[in-house]
Amino acid sequence: KFAPLLSALCLFSLCAAPTVAEEQKPAPAPNGLEIPEGFENWAVISISHRLDRESMRVILGNDIAVKAARSGQTSPWPDGAIIAKVAWTETSEEDWPAAVVPGKLLNAEFMFKDSKKFAANGTGWADRTPYGKDASFEKECIECHAAVRHRDWAFTQAATFR
C-alpha cells in the first residue's frame, strides 16, 4: 500500500539533486515552449510504472499544478498549471536485487495548461530532449492523450496522503 509513496519519495530525492547535464539550459521545444527552469525541484504529484516500456516515471508539478492535484481540482487543470513527467529505465538495486530503482534518464515531458494560449485543447506540449522537427510533434502527444480527453488530456492520477 505504501510502496508507491515510498517510490515517489525516493524518486523525488533523485530529482532534487541537479547533475551537470541538468545545469545546462535545454533548447526550447520546436513549438517555442521553454522547459521550466528548476522543474527538478518541483513537488511530486504522482508516480507511474510503464510495464510495456520497462520504465518508471515521477510526475512533478509547479505550485499551481500541485495545489490543484492535492485539492482534486484537475478537471480541468487550472490555467498556469505545468505537469512534468520524468522517465527513467528501471534497473535492480545493486544491494537489494528485489528492488526496482531508476536507471538511465530517458526524458522529461511537459504539459502546459492555458485555455487561451492553447485554444484547441487547453494544453501545450514540450520535451526536454529534442523531439520532433517542428511544432507538428504535438499531434503525436494529442493522439496518445486522446484516451484521457475526458480528464483534461492528463493520464496523471494524483497520489493521496490519506
Side-chain angles (χ1 to χ4, degrees), residues 1-5:
K1 181 176 180 179
F2 294 102
L5 178 59

Side-chain angles (χ1 to χ4, degrees), residues 82-135:
I82 306 173
I83 304 164
K85 177 183 69 179
V86 186
W88 294 267
T89 60
E90 60 184 41
T91 189
S92 295
E93 165 61 50
E94 183 178 326
D95 297 318
W96 186 18
V100 177
V101 296
K104 178 184 177 235
L105 177 67
L106 294 172
N107 62 12
E109 300 168 343
F110 299 86
M111 291 180 69
F112 296 79
K113 302 307 288 185
D114 186 325
S115 60
K116 291 179 181 70
K117 186 173 183 178
F118 310 111
N121 65 18
T123 306
W125 314 84
D127 198 306
R128 184 171 176 250
T129 55
Y131 189 82
K133 294 180 180 173
D134 56 38

Side-chain angles (χ1 to χ4, degrees), residues 126-150:
D127 198 306
R128 184 171 176 250
T129 55
Y131 189 82
K133 294 180 180 173
D134 56 38
S136 69
F137 81 92
E138 290 185 337
K139 289 179 188 175
E140 187 176 333
C141 302
I142 293 167
E143 288 171 6
C144 180
H145 285 254
V148 287
R149 171 184 264 161
H150 64 284

